């Protein structure tokens, strides 16, 4: 056993909690063990929930300004340790170090932006129908919030959920994904250092389906915020049904990327490549399918393939364009989807695929792949890929592209490139998605609202709308006559 490999602890009730069982966390680029995750038990989970429940009254009663101060302090600690956290993210998740640094910055910004909202927590006084009476509507924190993060952005998603939940006065039990738990465990230790009260921020790890279901179904948890797959979202929906649990779910995406004949083609190509291949295509709002006006399709695809072919892939610490996929299971899934697309008649324009040997023999590598579909029902245009593969379909006009874009069970994000002002004005009503990128690549901002429609989720995150979701509302009829 290599004694240089760190064995991590959970944080429960403000204290490090060790376990007798551990799981090796491996680097997707090399297969090397980078840390040992504690395998929490049901007793650990119950202890974390109990700690959060016990801490809730005191934390909810803490002045908003003090919660603001503490969350800003956590953000400052993250910035202070940014290089260490970024290296940890790259080691456990595989994204290039430059993108990992961006993720750390996003984590800190989510916390800082949430903290800035503490001074704006307010209610309403509404006129009554009765004399000598007012109607007071107040915001109250829910209580114990369960946060379940996905493996693709382990630190950023922790900050996105923890910031507004804590500033609103809730206490938190964060369960970091079992593939990428180390950055979440590290963040909990930083939170302790700034003086967050014991039990306010708890982090547990273990077997995802078992531990996650227990957290969701616990009668002592009040709200669940989760980012993950549609399958996992359905499981959580079912687990929380008996207790009518409040849910905020960001699930899968199948974002259409529409390019019209009047678009700035170079700008559209640059945006399409970035929106598809950042983090090896492992982003929910990624460009997942392209609908290209027939008049510009040849020109667009020629440039898109050339730019994709030029992308670099290699050691994530050397900051290439692409790192590895997260796991062998994910590589096999993407390869199977490409095979299904080819069986359906899709033409390969750039053959990438698995890289099982040479410098890539030890990791989970899949090179960028570009196809063109002949049928709108191709699996590559219908099902979420979540990897460095993209297919395009030619269309005859805006209305056809919109109809094809909307013909999906997913409704997270959509892209449109056009210089036609009329189309840009029509797009928000025509495209049935929670988030639109018009003449730009992806990348939501903390003051916006990141939300999915249809099977892409419930609720949403970020900005004033996301913050408001961490409060329950109370109406009091106050009579003084």
């Amino acid at each position: 056993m290599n004694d240089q490999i760190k064995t991590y602890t959970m944080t429960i009730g403000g204290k490090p909690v060790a376990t007798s069982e551990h799981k090796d966390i491996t680097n997707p680029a090399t297969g090397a063990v980078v840390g040992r995750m504690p395998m929490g038990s049901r007793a650990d989970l119950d202890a974390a929930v109990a700690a959060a429940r016990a801490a809730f009254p005191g934390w909810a009663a803490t002045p908003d300004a003090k919660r603001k101060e503490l969350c800003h302090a956590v953000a400052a600690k993250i910035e202070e340790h940014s290089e260490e956290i970024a290296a940890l993210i790259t080691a456990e998740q595989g994204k290039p170090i430059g993108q990992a640094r961006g993720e750390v910055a996003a984590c800190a910004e989510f916390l800082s932006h949430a903290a800035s909202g503490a001074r704006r927590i307010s209610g309403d006084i509404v006129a009554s129908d009765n004399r000598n009476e007012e109607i007071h509507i107040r915001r109250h924190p829910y209580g114990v919030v369960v946060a379940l993060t996905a493996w693709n952005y382990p630190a950023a998603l922790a900050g996105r959920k923890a910031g507004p939940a804590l500033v609103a006065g809730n206490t938190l039990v964060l369960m970091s994904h079992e593939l990428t738990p180390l950055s979440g465990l590290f963040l909990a230790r930083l939170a302790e250092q700034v003086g967050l009260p014991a039990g306010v921020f708890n982090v547990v790890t273990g077997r995802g389906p078992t531990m996650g279901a227990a957290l969701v179904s616990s009668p002592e948890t009040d709200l669940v915020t989760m980012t993950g797959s549609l399958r996992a979202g359905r499981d959580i929906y079912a687990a929380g049904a008996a207790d009518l649990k409040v849910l905020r779910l960001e699930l899968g995406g199948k974002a259409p990327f529409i390019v019209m004949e009047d678009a700035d083609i170079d700008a559209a190509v640059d945006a399409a490549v970035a929106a598809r291949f950042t983090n090896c295509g492992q982003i929910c709002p990624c460009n997942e399918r392209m609908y290209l006006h027939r008049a510009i399709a040849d020109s667009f695809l020629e440039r898109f393939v050339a730019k994709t072919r030029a992308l670099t892939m290699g050691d994530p610490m050397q900051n290439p364009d692409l790192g590895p996929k997260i796991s062998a299971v994910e590589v096999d899934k993407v390869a199977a989807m490409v095979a299904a697309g080819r069986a359906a008649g899709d033409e390969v324009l750039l053959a990438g695929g698995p890289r099982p040997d040479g410098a890539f023999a030890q990791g989970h590598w899949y090179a960028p792949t570009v196809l063109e579909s002949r049928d709108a029902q191709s699996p590559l245009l219908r099902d979420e890929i979540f990897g460095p593969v993209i297919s395009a379909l030619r269309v005859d006009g805006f209305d056809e592209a919109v109809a094809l874009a909307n013909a999906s069970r997913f409704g997270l994000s959509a892209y449109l490139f056009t210089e036609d002002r009329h189309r840009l004005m029509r797009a928000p009503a025509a495209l049935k998605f929670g988030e639109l990128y018009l003449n730009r690549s992806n990348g939501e901002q903390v003051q916006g609202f990141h939300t999915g429609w249809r099977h892409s989720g419930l609720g949403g995150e970020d900005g004033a709308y996301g913050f408001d979701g961490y409060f329950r509302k109370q109406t009091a009829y106050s009579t003084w006559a």
Side-chain angles (χ1 to χ4, degrees):
M1 181 176 292
N2 185 349
D3 292 333
Q4 299 303 310
I5 297 172
K6 182 176 179 178
T7 298
Y8 286 75
T9 56
M10 299 182 292
T11 295
I12 298 174
K15 298 178 180 178
V17 175
T19 59
S20 58
E21 183 184 359
H22 301 90
K23 175 185 175 183
D24 288 344
I25 302 303
T26 57
N27 187 325
T30 65
V33 176
V34 295
R36 296 190 181 94
M37 176 187 81
M39 296 296 288
S41 65
R42 179 58 189 262
D44 294 320
L45 181 151
D46 290 342
V49 172
R53 177 59 64 195
F56 172 63
W59 183 244
T62 299
D64 298 340
K66 183 61 176 178
R67 294 200 299 267
K68 168 188 174 182
E69 175 189 323
L70 288 169
C71 285
H72 271 310
V74 176
K77 271 289 181 186
I78 290 169
E79 291 171 347
E80 179 185 336
H81 292 269
S82 59
E83 278 301 304
E84 188 175 356
I85 302 169
L88 194 59
I89 292 169
T90 293
E92 67 175 345
Q93 199 274 332
K95 61 168 55 76
I97 187 64
Q99 295 177 34
R101 291 180 181 124
E103 179 177 349
V104 176
C107 178
E109 190 176 11
F110 279 129
L111 285 157
S112 293
H113 186 267
S116 71
R119 293 288 195 187
R120 295 190 292 274
I121 298 173
S122 62
D124 291 292
I125 299 176
V126 180
S128 171
D129 293 343
N130 303 320
R131 291 173 62 87
N132 301 320
E133 182 177 81
E134 290 179 339
I135 304 170
H136 296 188
I137 302 175
R138 294 178 170 86
R139 285 174 168 80
H140 293 272
Y142 275 95
V144 177
V145 170
V146 173
L148 306 173
T149 58
W151 50 258
N152 59 335
Y153 281 87
L157 291 172
R160 168 178 264 172
K161 297 173 186 304
L166 296 178
V167 173
N170 302 283
T171 53
L172 188 73
V173 179
L174 170 70
M175 182 169 178
S176 292
H177 195 282
E178 62 187 295
L179 291 178
T180 55
L182 305 184
S183 51
L185 294 167
F186 187 86
L187 292 177
R189 307 303 295 175
L190 297 183
E192 287 179 48
Q193 293 175 22
V194 307
L196 274 183
V200 168
F201 186 13
N202 308 275
V203 180
V204 297
T205 52
R207 293 177 178 84
T210 304
M211 296 277 281
L215 281 170
V216 173
S217 60
S218 169
E220 293 299 317
T221 61
D222 301 291
L223 182 152
V224 178
T225 171
M226 172 266 194
T227 300
S229 68
L230 175 58
R231 177 202 55 76
R234 284 172 166 158
D235 289 345
I236 289 170
Y237 200 95
D243 207 28
L244 298 179
K245 201 75 65 178
V246 179
L247 302 177
R248 304 176 69 77
L249 307 176
E250 185 205 325
L251 308 178
K254 189 66 182 173
F257 195 104
I258 300 169
V259 185
M260 290 289 95
E261 79 285 358
D262 60 343
D264 180 333
I265 302 301
D266 286 331
V269 167
D270 287 346
V273 170
R276 174 65 271 179
F277 298 110
T278 298
N279 198 24
C280 203
Q282 299 169 136
I283 309 177
C284 296
C286 260
N287 165 22
E288 280 265 339
R289 49 192 170 125
M290 299 190 295
Y291 298 112
L292 311 176
H293 194 286
R294 202 172 298 277
I296 54 86
D298 286 338
S299 176
F300 179 95
L301 287 171
E302 180 181 357
R303 296 184 222 185
F304 183 85
V305 169
K307 194 169 185 67
T308 302
R309 184 180 285 112
L311 295 173
T312 57
M313 186 173 70
D315 179 2
M317 289 302 293
Q318 298 301 314
N319 203 32
D321 296 310
L322 281 85
K325 285 284 292 169
I326 186 66
S327 68
V329 170
E330 281 289 311
V331 169
D332 292 343
K333 184 198 82 171
V334 172
M337 292 189 70
V338 171
R342 296 189 66 181
D346 292 1
E347 177 188 354
V348 176
L349 304 182
L350 177 63
R355 290 290 183 267
D357 47 31
F360 304 109
Q362 302 305 312
H364 312 305
W365 299 92
Y366 200 102
T369 302
V370 182
L371 303 95
E372 183 175 355
S373 296
R374 308 301 181 188
D375 184 345
Q377 296 306 310
S378 166
L380 293 177
L381 298 176
R382 184 184 66 238
D383 301 322
E384 187 178 30
I385 302 167
F386 220 61
V389 172
I390 188 72
S391 192
L393 182 75
R394 299 173 189 239
V395 297
D396 291 315
F398 180 72
D399 290 337
E400 181 187 4
V402 167
L404 290 169
N406 289 337
S408 171
R409 59 181 175 166
F410 295 110
L412 182 56
S413 302
Y415 303 78
L416 170 64
F417 271 76
T418 181
E419 296 298 310
D420 187 319
R421 186 68 178 171
H422 179 65
R423 289 169 176 162
L424 290 171
M425 294 298 291
R426 284 180 59 197
L431 289 165
K432 308 304 182 185
F433 297 82
E435 193 169 72
L436 303 181
Y437 295 106
L438 307 177
N439 287 327
R440 60 160 285 185
S441 189
N442 63 340
E444 60 268 18
Q445 297 178 12
V446 294
Q447 70 272 31
F449 185 48
H450 182 62
T451 183
W453 293 9
R454 301 191 296 281
H455 285 185
S456 286
L458 302 169
E461 305 275 8
D462 306 342
Y465 293 107
F467 188 36
D468 193 52
Y470 288 93
F471 296 95
R472 64 173 90 236
K473 315 308 185 292
Q474 180 189 64
T475 301
Y477 292 87
S478 179
T479 300
W480 59 87

